[in-house]
Amino acid sequence: MSSTEHKQMVEKITRGLEIAEREMLEEKARNNEDVIVCGDDNKIRHIPARNFL
């Protein structure tokens, strides 16, 4: 696999992950669900998905 092919594959994977994350957030927002995140202070937080959109 050439360097160009590798870069293109990484870009496609990254874009696919971005799309999947967006769809997950939209679905959670429709269902009034929270997203669980860990901040820089290592504290776990429950944040409404609609705050991410």
Side-chain angles (χ1 to χ4, degrees), residues 4-53:
T4 303
E5 290 172 328
H6 183 265
K7 183 178 177 183
Q8 290 173 343
M9 184 178 66
V10 169
E11 288 172 356
K12 285 181 181 180
I13 291 170
T14 301
R15 182 65 184 138
L17 289 170
E18 289 169 352
I19 291 169
E21 180 180 26
R22 177 75 184 192
E23 290 175 355
M24 181 265 306
L25 289 171
E26 289 173 350
E27 183 176 349
K28 283 186 167 288
R30 278 193 303 272
N31 295 326
N32 294 319
E33 296 177 347
D34 292 340
V35 177
I36 301 170
V37 296
C38 183
D40 292 335
D41 57 359
N42 293 324
K43 291 193 177 184
I44 296 173
R45 292 178 176 81
H46 298 252
I47 302 172
R50 65 182 161 270
N51 290 3
F52 286 96
L53 298 176

